[in-house]
């Protein structure tokens, strides 16, 4: 089974070491105390209408966001910014990132647990800020960011964006928040180490008995989430996250939201635009996840996207001394599929542990996020072909955040599952098995595994309600799509452009997941220019 949400570490730092750590999250914390300042709006007691009187009209729903009087105190709160505790990962990164991390400020933002009843219970979400480095006279406001996932913590992305684009950090406060269930905002906890092992070893090419076994594992995991997360569990979806984002916008004093979102962060930004259209400022969406597409479409397209990325990797691999493949790309595809089939039938022993098809597929997909990871993937696969699965196991543990004692305390996987569950974006085991068999015709290597990453048994499932973006209510946005992006395939770009014809689309002809502040000066200059002067660049092709 493959865990495929995007990670800032995978696309920025993974190639630095063979088994570089993949996802970094912070300590969890949340507040269950009753909110004593935000009061429910009072309503008159219901009365029966007098004989002959007109039946009263249904009461209109309360306004969304800052226009709701019951949310007044949340929008009026003052944040207690203080220097953040050192982030070891950032301090070990390059000097620019380390320098930014030393200046980073942290705070807790109080938000309602349930926006429908904001006067009952509140929670806290972790927020981060690097104040504009150019001084108040040159400050343009705040620029929020989200790296995707869902499940990824945001702190590293704030420091990395500020370090990578100093011109933006000079003019903007770079801000971010850990969405509910991630990082410092009550990180989702669902299972002990052995259950996490079983979850990630679900066979992505199962027989009937294995489908039943997978369904049982998914059910046990979902029940564990419900038992451990309580009333937070159904309130960690994207709708709550975008409302929290709007509270943060108001609290930092911005009339409109300026935002850079990548991968799932584009879905978060699009949903924000749907829900708070009057508050949309300069929005950059890189690695497009279409809010108008249903879960089956998204799972199929992502499976085909990772397969396209594997073929690009194989084409680059063939002919190199450390490449395990010979001949054509089709030969490499057949060879890799055969090797995964062997791991499915007989996992490779490594001491007291073993590497199975699900784990190997996870590692392959992890290293397809960036071409910079391809040299390491060649080494891992060559060793596997030679009968040594140790490198594969090491890479799996690093990506999955599996500690030496078998625990997954830092793993973002539970958050990935339960945020998607709250959004209604998952498949049953039976649906995953059927779709996995179907996509194996066009995506035979990692396609079935990617499909199974969309499978869950949700204890508090939301409703999957795909919704088109309404261009009439929105300014133009800046959209970015990479032609061979594995996790957010390029096929979504045309659909976004059709929904938002007044937006600009940057097409980056390249490999890997997302494009901004990566390797293309064409992309970087266009995005910087838009964020600094507010003028869309028009449609562009970059390489």
């Amino acid at each position: 089974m493959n865990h495929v949400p995007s990670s800032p570490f995978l696309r920025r730092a993974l190639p630095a070491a063979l088994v570089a750590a993949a996802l970094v999250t912070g300590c969890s914390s949340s507040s269950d105390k009753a909110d004593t300042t935000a009061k429910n709006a009072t309503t008159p007691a219901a009365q029966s209408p007098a004989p002959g009187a007109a039946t009263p009209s249904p009461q209109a729903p309360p306004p969304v966001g800052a226009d709701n009087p019951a949310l007044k105190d949340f929008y009026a709160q003052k944040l207690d910014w203080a220097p953040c505790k050192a982030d070891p990962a950032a301090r070990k990164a390059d000097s620019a990132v380390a320098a930014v991390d030393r200046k980073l400020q942290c705070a807790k933002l109080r938000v309602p647990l349930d926006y429908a009843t904001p006067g009952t219970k509140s929670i806290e979400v972790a927020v981060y800020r690097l104040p504009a480095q150019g001084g108040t006279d040159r400050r343009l406001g705040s620029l929020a960011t989200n790296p995707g996932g869902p499940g990824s913590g945001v702190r590293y992305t704030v420091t990395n964006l500020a370090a990578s684009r100093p011109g933006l950090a000079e003019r903007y406060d770079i801000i971010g928040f850990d969405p509910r269930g991630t990082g410092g905002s009550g990180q989702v906890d669902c299972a002990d180490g052995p259950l996490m092992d079983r979850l990630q070893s679900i066979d992505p090419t199962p027989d009937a008995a294995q489908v039943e076994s997978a369904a049982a594992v998914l059910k046990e995991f979902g029940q564990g989430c419900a038992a451990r997360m309580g009333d937070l569990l159904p309130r960690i979806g994207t709708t709550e996250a975008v409302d929290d984002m709007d509270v943060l916008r108001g609290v930092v004093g911005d009339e409109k939201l300026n935002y850079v979102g990548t991968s799932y962060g584009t879905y978060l930004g699009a949903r924000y635009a749907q829900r708070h259209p009057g508050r949309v400022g300069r929005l950059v969406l890189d690695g497009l996840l279409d809010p108008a597409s249903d879960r089956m479409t998204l799972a199929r397209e992502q499976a085909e996207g990772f397969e396209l990325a594997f073929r690009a990797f194989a084409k680059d691999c063939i002919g190199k001394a450390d490449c395990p493949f010979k001949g054509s790309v089709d030969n490499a595809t057949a060879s890799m599929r055969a090797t995964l089939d062997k791991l499915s039938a007989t996992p490779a022993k490594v001491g007291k542990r073993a590497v199975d098809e699900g784990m190997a597929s996870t590692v392959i997909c992890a290293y397809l996020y960036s071409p910079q990871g391809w040299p390491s993937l060649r080494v891992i696969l060559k060793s596997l072909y030679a009968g040594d699965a140790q490198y594969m196991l090491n890479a799996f543990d690093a990506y999955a955040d599996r500690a030496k004692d078998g625990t997954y305390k830092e793993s973002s996987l539970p958050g990935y599952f339960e945020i998607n569950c709250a959004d209604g974006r998952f498949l049953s085991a039976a649906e995953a098995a059927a779709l996995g068999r179907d996509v194996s015709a066009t995506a035979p290597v990692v396609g079935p595994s990617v499909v199974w990453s969309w499978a869950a048994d949700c204890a508090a499932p939301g409703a999957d309600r795909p919704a088109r973006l309404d261009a009439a209510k929105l300014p133009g946005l800046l959209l970015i799509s990479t032609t061979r992006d594995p996790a957010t395939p390029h096929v979504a770009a045309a659909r976004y452009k059709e929904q938002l014809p007044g937006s600009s689309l940057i097409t980056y002809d390249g490999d890997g997941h997302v494009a901004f502040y990566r390797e293309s000066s064409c992309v970087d200059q266009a995005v910087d220019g838009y964020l600094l002067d507010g003028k869309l660049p028009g449609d562009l092709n970059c390489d």
Side-chain angles (χ1 to χ4, degrees):
M1 184 178 191
N2 175 42
H3 168 214
V4 294
S6 69
S7 162
F9 261 70
L10 283 174
R11 66 187 177 90
R12 309 256 185 243
L14 183 70
L18 179 62
V19 291
L23 300 172
V24 173
T25 53
C27 299
S28 62
S29 66
S30 64
S31 173
D32 291 329
K33 62 187 178 183
D35 183 270
T36 57
T37 56
K39 305 297 182 182
N40 283 323
T42 57
T43 55
Q47 297 178 349
S48 299
T55 301
S57 300
Q59 192 172 38
V64 173
D67 294 330
N68 184 350
L71 299 176
K72 177 182 177 182
D73 290 331
F74 291 101
Y75 279 86
Q77 68 186 286
K78 302 296 183 183
L79 296 179
D80 185 16
W81 293 106
C84 298
K85 294 181 179 179
D87 177 2
R91 299 294 169 90
K92 292 179 182 179
D94 63 65
S95 58
V97 172
V100 168
D101 189 69
R102 285 190 286 270
K103 300 176 183 178
L104 200 66
Q105 299 174 346
C106 290
K108 293 288 187 178
L109 177 74
R110 186 170 49 83
V111 293
L113 174 66
D114 183 355
Y115 278 87
T117 57
T120 53
K121 185 179 288 187
S122 68
I123 60 174
E124 291 180 331
V125 299
V127 294
Y128 309 96
R129 177 180 71 174
L130 176 73
Q133 300 298 288
T136 56
D137 292 343
R138 292 177 52 77
R139 181 179 176 274
L140 292 174
S142 301
L143 177 62
T145 186
N146 180 278
S152 301
V154 168
R155 172 174 171 167
Y156 188 85
T157 303
V158 171
T159 57
N160 205 14
L161 174 60
S164 300
R165 310 310 302 159
L168 298 179
E170 182 179 357
R171 305 295 302 279
Y172 284 102
D173 293 348
I174 310 296
I175 65 171
F177 73 104
D178 288 336
R180 303 174 183 207
T182 72
S185 300
Q187 185 171 336
V188 172
D189 177 24
C190 297
D192 60 14
L195 178 55
M196 290 286 287
D197 283 344
R198 287 190 286 134
L199 179 73
Q200 298 192 99
S201 287
I202 288 175
D203 195 313
T205 51
D207 58 26
Q210 289 170 323
V211 173
E212 291 186 9
S213 175
V217 171
L218 294 174
K219 183 175 182 179
E220 184 179 352
F221 183 86
Q223 290 175 339
C225 295
R228 299 183 185 210
M229 297 302 296
D231 57 4
L232 178 63
L233 186 62
R235 304 296 175 197
I236 62 172
T238 301
T239 297
E240 287 81 10
V242 299
D243 286 348
D244 293 348
M245 189 156 59
D246 194 62
V247 173
L248 178 59
R249 173 206 57 77
V251 168
V252 299
D254 289 344
E255 187 67 24
K256 294 189 175 184
L257 177 76
N258 301 311
Y259 174 76
V260 174
T262 60
S263 196
Y264 164 79
T266 69
Y267 183 69
L268 186 69
R271 288 283 302 276
Y272 180 91
Q274 288 175 312
R275 191 161 171 82
H276 301 278
R279 299 296 187 180
V280 174
R282 303 171 188 179
L283 258 64
V284 178
L285 306 181
D286 181 9
L288 303 170
L289 187 61
D290 183 13
S293 294
D294 61 40
R295 59 201 170 94
M296 298 291 284
T297 299
L298 293 171
R300 177 186 293 277
E301 291 179 351
Q302 190 177 73
E304 293 172 346
F306 271 95
E307 194 73 17
L308 178 64
F310 177 81
R311 291 181 67 85
F313 158 73
K315 181 179 179 180
D316 179 79
C317 177
I318 293 170
K320 291 182 168 63
D322 57 355
C323 181
F325 307 132
K326 305 295 182 182
S328 68
V329 171
D330 286 342
N331 289 342
T333 296
S335 174
M336 193 72 253
R337 180 65 259 167
T339 300
L340 292 173
D341 286 341
K342 290 180 183 178
L343 291 174
S344 175
T346 307
K349 296 293 185 181
V350 183
K352 295 181 179 180
R353 296 176 63 195
V355 172
D356 54 37
E357 180 185 353
M359 297 164 68
S361 297
T362 293
V363 171
I364 292 170
C365 287
Y367 281 86
L368 292 178
Y369 272 93
S370 169
Q372 294 177 342
W374 293 358
S376 294
L377 182 56
R378 292 198 303 269
V379 173
I380 293 169
L381 292 180
K382 185 175 182 180
S383 296
L384 180 68
Y385 272 55
D388 182 2
Q390 183 68 63
Y391 284 173
M392 182 70 78
L393 182 64
N394 292 348
F396 171 80
D397 286 351
Y399 177 72
D401 287 310
R402 188 185 192 275
K404 291 182 179 179
D405 63 1
T407 62
Y408 291 78
K409 294 179 181 178
E410 299 299 317
S411 175
S412 67
L413 181 58
Y416 163 75
F417 270 95
E418 294 311 312
I419 292 172
N420 272 315
C421 274
D423 287 349
R425 292 268 172 168
F426 265 130
L427 311 176
S428 68
E431 288 174 325
L435 184 58
R437 287 192 298 270
D438 190 28
V439 304
S440 65
T442 55
V445 176
V446 292
S449 180
V450 172
V451 166
W452 271 95
S453 74
W454 290 79
D457 189 325
C458 301
D464 184 23
R465 297 192 182 96
R468 287 174 56 84
L469 294 166
D470 186 354
K473 297 181 178 180
L474 296 173
L477 313 181
L478 183 54
L479 314 173
I480 310 173
S481 182
T482 301
T483 55
R484 292 178 296 281
D485 188 318
T488 50
H490 183 54
V491 65
R495 295 198 295 266
Y496 257 89
K497 187 66 176 176
E498 187 270 330
Q499 293 172 69
L500 300 173
S503 295
S504 293
L505 173 64
I506 300 175
T507 299
Y508 172 58
D509 184 11
D511 298 289
H513 185 42
V514 309
F516 180 43
Y517 64 105
R518 190 176 137 198
E519 294 178 349
S520 172
S521 60
C522 171
V523 173
D524 292 348
Q525 290 171 11
V527 175
D528 286 356
Y530 166 64
L531 290 173
L532 292 172
D533 65 26
K535 296 178 182 178
L536 287 168
D539 293 346
L540 294 174
N541 293 314
C542 293
D543 54 22

